Every structure is written in structure tokens, then in C-alpha cells.
Amino acid sequence: MISLEDWALIRRLVAEGVPQRQVARELGIARKTVAAAVASERPPKYERTAGPTSFTPFEARVRALLAEHPEMPATVIAERVEWSGSITWFRQNVQRLRPEHRPVDPADRLSWAPGDAAQCDLWFPPQRIPLEDGSAALLPVLVIVAAHSRFLTARMIPSRKTEDLLLGSWELIRQLGRVPRRLIWDNESGIGQRGRLADGVSSFAGTLAAKIVQLKPYDPESKGIVERHNGFFETSFMPGRTFASPQDFNAQLAEWLEKANARLVRTIKARPVDLIEHDRTRMLPLPPIPLQLGWRERVRLGRDYYVRLDSSDYSVDPHAIGRMVDVAADLERVRVRLEGRIIADHARVWARGMTIADPAHVETAKLLRTQFQQPKPAPGDDLARDLADYDRAFGLTGEVA
């Protein structure tokens, strides 16, 4: 077989008009070789003739296993077919055969009409955030992106539970100013799984007049916009930043989002801040009634005058002990009401297992405890009566002889 340089030289000489016989004589090669080089469109390449190998007797059984289980590991296949040779050689052959049996999942190009959809997701920043008790935790950030304009909203929330997800969603939707017709989620447990929405999510969507769309498994393209923004957070927002608290994180994030929405997005060749107004014109209006969201519970206040919310305890005015109180909380505050009157108001803590006591409640409890422990006065002698009462009762009012 001639070399690549000889092949190129032969074709150049023949193209310049040198007879093939002369080329063969000058290069010392056969005329048939020169003719073959001129006729070929590709450089010569040595290819070994395929023949049976040690893997050949096992190939049919391997193909049968891959047809039924395309993702079965090569080590498991080797055990099933009783392979005793080199596992590296076996893996190479399985890798060669696997694409022929793996199902194809083509991805369509999606287009998003104005006002139609917003993609929702949770992003977990790769940095622990300091909390009130001195600990630090990885906390979720709720991200909602208007699919048409790519306008980005986000906020860190205390947990991924349904109550906090809906509270965060409502806050970000209010930042959009209008309601997207569809809110696209994956199978987030706080929103719903396997086609069933979590408690409270249906009423939330109904109040907004929007539709919650739960994606099927293995469908990342339908939520690719928000997924790419999650990566954008990690490469453009996080580097070089430190955070003192969740509130500090949200303050820095809000400032950065203004710049992020003013950048030019390559895929749409426009800035989100310039497209959001057109997006809003096709969205639904905000609901005319206030949404009843957040943590809500009606409990009887115990002797310890504390109520529990999301694993932390908050003090309540001890005068309400033994009575039914209403506990409500949002992302910022925890409030307790007795017959509509607020009897406790605390900042919500993000750390778990904390006890939050209002000094006024503790002092009131101390006063009530002191009053309860004081001895009661002894009852007076109510049995002594005037004897004249008995005389009048029996009609003995005259003088006795």
C-alpha cells in the first residue's frame, strides 16, 4: 500500500499531464497502483479484514440481553453470558453494540408564544448559607422564567415544602406583574408527582386561572430554559460572593437580577427587559382577591404557651392557654390570632429546632404562674345563724309564759 504522500504526488503529476507509465517508472511502483490512485477519491487506508474474535461466540447472547435491557452494565452482561476473558475487551465490544439497541429519544425545537408559559424549578446554590442558630445549610432558590421573553425571577425560600413553594411562586408572579397561562414544573414533590398535584396546589392554580403542567420523566428539553438559567446562576452570580444570611442572599440576588434581565440573550437576540412588556400583554391578570397561602393551622394552646411551625417553636400570649388559636405564617412572619386579634408576631426563623420566645410572653407567664401558686384564703363559717331566724320560721314570735 502506498503512503499518503505518494498518493498525493501521483494525483498531482497526472493532473499536470505526466503519463501514468512515466509516473510509475519514476516512483518505482506498478502501473496498476498509479491507476488505482488516480481513480480513488480518498487516500489509501489500511483496513484489517474482519474475522472471528474471542467475542464472536458471545455476540448473539449479548445482543439478546441488550435488546431487552439496553442499559445493563457490561459487567453484569459478562456474568450472564459466562465470559472469562479480558473485561476491558468485553466492555469495548458491548460499547460498540449498545447504541444499536438503545431507544432513540429525539428532541424537538420548541417555540414559546408570548404569555403562554413560565418554567419553574428549584436551584440549590453550592454554598451553605449561615442561619440564626449559627449553623449553615444548603437552601433552595425558587426560579421562574417567562419562556417567551426569558425574563428571570428568583428568590431563596426556607424549604421545598408546598406552603413555601406556593408563597414563593406567588411573590415571583407578582414581580412579573401578570400570570403566565401555564406554569411548567417537573415532578417536584411539593408541587405534585405522578400526575397528581399536592394539597393546595390545585386551588392555587384555580385562583390564578393558570394551569400547572407536570412534565413526564426524561423530558429535560421542555424545561431547558430554566435549567440553563440555573447554570447561569452558578457561573455568573455565585463566583466571588459571600452571604451573611438568607436575607443577604436575596438582597444580592435581587440586585444581580436587574443586570441579568438587561443582558442580550443570544438565542432570542434580544434583552428580556425589552420583551417582558409584550409578554405581559398576553398573560392573565392577577387575581382580584387575596390568595390564602402559607402555613395555616388552628390549635389549642397548651400550658407551655408555644406553637410549632416547620420544626421551630414560637411563644404566644399565655392568657390564651386552653383556647383555640389560629397560626399563620408566610416567608417572613409567624402570627398567632385569638378570635381575630393578633396575640403573637415573630420573624420567621430558617434554622430548624429553634425556640423563639417573646420577653413579654415570658414575663406574663411568670406573673400568671405566681398568681396561681399563691394560697387561697380560708372560707368563712357560713353555718352560724341568728336563732331568731328559726323562731320566725316556726311562727314563734310571741313571748313565752
Side-chain angles (χ1 to χ4, degrees):
M1 184 182 71
I2 61 175
S3 65
L4 175 63
E5 291 78 8
D6 289 342
W7 176 82
L9 178 59
I10 292 171
R11 293 176 64 85
R12 181 173 64 81
L13 292 174
V14 171
E16 291 177 353
V18 179
Q20 293 186 14
R21 178 180 300 178
Q22 181 179 345
V23 171
R25 184 173 61 251
E26 292 179 356
L27 297 181
I29 58 178
R31 290 175 58 185
K32 290 183 178 180
T33 303
V34 174
V38 173
S40 64
E41 297 180 356
R42 296 182 180 180
K45 180 180 178 182
Y46 173 74
E47 295 182 358
R48 184 177 180 180
T49 304
T53 66
S54 59
F55 181 78
T56 304
F58 299 87
E59 182 170 339
R61 296 167 62 190
V62 171
R63 286 183 178 275
L65 288 173
L66 288 175
E68 187 175 357
H69 306 286
E71 302 300 330
M72 180 179 288
T75 53
V76 178
I77 298 176
E79 181 182 354
R80 298 284 178 85
V81 301
E82 300 179 351
W83 170 265
S84 59
S86 168
I87 189 62
T88 302
W89 169 244
F90 189 84
R91 280 197 181 99
Q92 291 174 357
N93 282 276
V94 172
Q95 185 178 11
R96 173 176 58 85
L97 298 178
R98 197 185 297 276
E100 301 177 19
H101 301 278
R102 182 179 287 138
V104 179
D105 181 22
D108 293 329
R109 294 290 182 91
L110 301 178
S111 59
W112 303 95
D116 174 56
Q119 297 184 10
C120 313
D121 196 17
L122 288 181
W123 166 60
F124 286 85
Q127 182 175 333
R128 294 185 178 274
I129 307 300
L131 301 180
E132 299 87 351
D133 61 351
S135 64
L138 294 174
L139 296 171
V141 174
L142 177 61
V143 183
I144 297 181
V145 184
H148 173 74
S149 63
R150 306 300 200 269
F151 192 85
L152 175 61
T153 60
R155 179 207 163 96
M156 179 171 281
I157 57 178
S159 74
R160 59 196 302 180
K161 295 181 180 178
T162 301
E163 293 85 354
D164 288 333
L165 287 174
L166 296 184
L167 284 167
S169 297
W170 173 233
E171 179 172 330
L172 298 185
I173 287 173
R174 287 195 299 177
Q175 291 180 19
L176 288 176
R178 304 271 288 184
V179 182
R181 298 176 183 274
R182 295 187 300 155
L183 300 175
I184 300 176
W185 279 92
D186 56 14
N187 284 277
E188 177 62 38
S189 58
I191 296 297
Q193 291 182 320
R194 300 180 181 87
R196 298 184 61 182
L197 297 177
D199 293 340
V201 177
S202 295
S203 60
F204 172 74
T207 306
L208 295 179
K211 180 181 180 180
I212 303 291
V213 178
Q214 291 180 274
L215 298 179
K216 297 180 180 179
Y218 311 110
D219 188 15
E221 292 82 11
S222 296
K223 202 162 62 68
I225 294 175
V226 69
E227 296 285 358
R228 286 191 292 272
H229 279 80
N230 291 348
F232 182 45
F233 283 129
E234 296 195 12
T235 58
S236 299
F237 172 68
M238 291 298 296
R241 292 181 183 268
T242 58
F243 309 99
S245 65
Q247 292 73 23
D248 181 35
F249 182 97
N250 280 329
Q252 294 189 45
L253 180 60
E255 182 180 358
W256 179 83
L257 284 173
E258 294 183 4
K259 301 176 182 178
N261 284 318
R263 81 195 190 285
L264 182 68
V265 179
R266 179 180 56 84
T267 54
I268 59 175
K269 299 180 176 61
R271 302 189 308 164
V273 70
D274 296 332
L275 297 180
I276 185 59
E277 287 303 327
H278 178 59
D279 217 355
R280 288 187 181 116
T281 59
R282 305 298 179 88
M283 293 183 184
L284 301 169
L286 295 174
I289 59 175
L291 274 65
Q292 300 297 317
L293 299 176
W295 303 77
R296 296 182 179 277
E297 188 178 12
R298 184 173 178 84
V299 299
R300 189 178 300 277
L301 187 63
R303 286 185 57 208
D304 64 351
Y305 62 93
Y306 282 82
V307 295
R308 174 159 295 185
L309 185 129
D310 192 25
S311 81
S312 290
D313 297 328
Y314 300 83
S315 68
V316 182
D317 187 343
H319 285 103
I321 289 176
R323 304 179 67 179
M324 300 299 293
V325 296
D326 297 303
V327 184
D330 54 25
L331 296 175
E332 305 291 344
R333 309 294 301 180
V334 177
R335 296 181 176 87
V336 183
R337 289 178 170 82
L338 174 64
E339 298 178 351
R341 177 173 55 90
I342 295 179
I343 56 175
D345 189 353
H346 300 274
R348 183 178 173 185
V349 295
W350 294 48
R352 300 182 65 82
M354 291 192 66
T355 299
I356 311 302
D358 187 331
H361 297 162
V362 176
E363 189 64 28
T364 300
K366 181 180 179 181
L367 177 62
L368 292 176
R369 191 178 305 110
T370 301
Q371 294 176 354
F372 180 81
Q373 293 173 351
Q374 288 180 353
K376 296 181 179 180
D381 187 5
D382 296 334
L383 298 179
R385 301 191 63 172
D386 188 354
L387 294 177
D389 292 339
Y390 296 97
D391 292 340
R392 286 191 292 271
F394 289 99
L396 304 177
T397 56
E399 295 182 356
V400 179

